[in-house]
């Protein structure tokens, strides 16, 4: 089963599921706060798109419980009080944790937030970026959703 992972998701369930559903059969939403659990439960009851899970915890710890990642989905702050301004997912430290779990030909869908040391910018340049046994590059024909 292809798995998408969305750390620091806040209440951004519907949009994320819509975007990743062509590329994954399940999505693991993760947030430190349990305040979004009721909204997630309602979303899960209404969605038929894919298998959905919500994990309460720090994404940097939760990642260790996921076997493999086909899609890494991330948006920065999507509403006041939400987001991951203090977590650099595309920094060397965190990238070293999720890169080994990333499947070959996996997909990163992101607005680029969470790149304190400019790694995301390197990933999307013409030659891409190779680190931690993985090569990351921009998908030329990927249509980014307007809402991003």
């Amino acid at each position: 089963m292809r798995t998408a992972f969305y750390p620091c998701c806040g209440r951004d369930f519907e949009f994320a599921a819509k975007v990743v559903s062509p590329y994954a059969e399940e999505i693991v939403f993760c947030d430190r706060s349990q305040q979004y659990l009721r909204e997630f439960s309602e979303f899960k009851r209404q969605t038929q798109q894919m298998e959905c899970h919500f994990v309460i915890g720090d994404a940097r710890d939760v990642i260790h419980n996921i076997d493999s990642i086909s899609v890494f989905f991330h948006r920065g702050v999507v509403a006041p009080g939400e987001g991951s301004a203090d977590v650099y997912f595309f920094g060397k430290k965190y990238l070293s944790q999720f890169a080994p779990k990333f499947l070959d030909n996996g997909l990163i869908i992101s607005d680029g937030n969470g790149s304190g040391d400019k790694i995301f910018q390197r990933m999307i340049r013409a030659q891409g970026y190779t680190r931690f046994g993985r090569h990351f590059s921009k998908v030329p024909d990927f249509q980014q959703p307007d809402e991003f």
Side-chain angles (χ1 to χ4, degrees):
M1 180 178 294
R2 296 175 302 167
T3 300
F5 180 55
Y6 185 3
C8 301
C9 63
R11 60 176 56 89
D12 193 23
F13 309 120
E14 188 174 336
F15 176 77
K18 176 183 166 188
V19 172
V20 304
S21 64
Y23 312 104
E25 289 81 34
E26 82 172 327
I27 184 168
V28 177
F29 294 97
C30 176
D31 202 279
R32 293 182 211 168
S33 176
Q34 62 183 342
Q35 74 181 16
Y36 308 114
L37 199 50
R38 185 181 317 151
E39 289 176 63
F40 173 76
S41 296
E42 180 63 28
F43 161 76
K44 187 174 179 178
R45 269 194 303 280
Q46 294 177 4
T47 191
Q48 303 290 319
Q49 293 175 322
M50 59 195 325
E51 191 173 322
C52 301
H53 309 278
F54 186 83
V55 180
I56 298 168
D58 188 310
R60 294 167 290 193
D61 297 326
V62 171
I63 191 76
H64 299 292
N65 298 321
I66 297 175
D67 292 332
S68 63
I69 299 171
S70 298
V71 180
F72 185 87
F73 185 90
H74 180 260
R75 295 204 292 176
V77 178
V78 293
E82 295 180 5
S84 56
D86 63 333
V87 181
Y88 297 105
F89 291 106
F90 300 112
K92 290 176 187 169
K93 184 176 179 182
Y94 190 74
L95 187 60
S96 70
Q97 292 177 27
F98 92 78
K101 296 185 175 277
F102 215 63
L103 295 178
D104 291 342
N105 298 313
L107 184 63
I108 294 173
I109 302 174
S110 177
D111 59 5
N113 281 306
S115 182
D117 50 10
K118 309 282 189 231
I119 290 177
F120 186 78
Q121 288 78 4
R122 293 178 193 155
M123 289 177 178
I124 62 174
R125 67 186 175 183
Q127 66 267 33
Y129 179 75
T130 301
R131 187 77 176 212
F132 309 113
R134 295 282 185 238
H135 180 75
F136 302 92
S137 61
K138 187 174 182 176
V139 177
D141 58 348
F142 182 78
Q143 295 299 312
Q144 182 167 306
D146 294 334
E147 298 88 20
F148 242 103

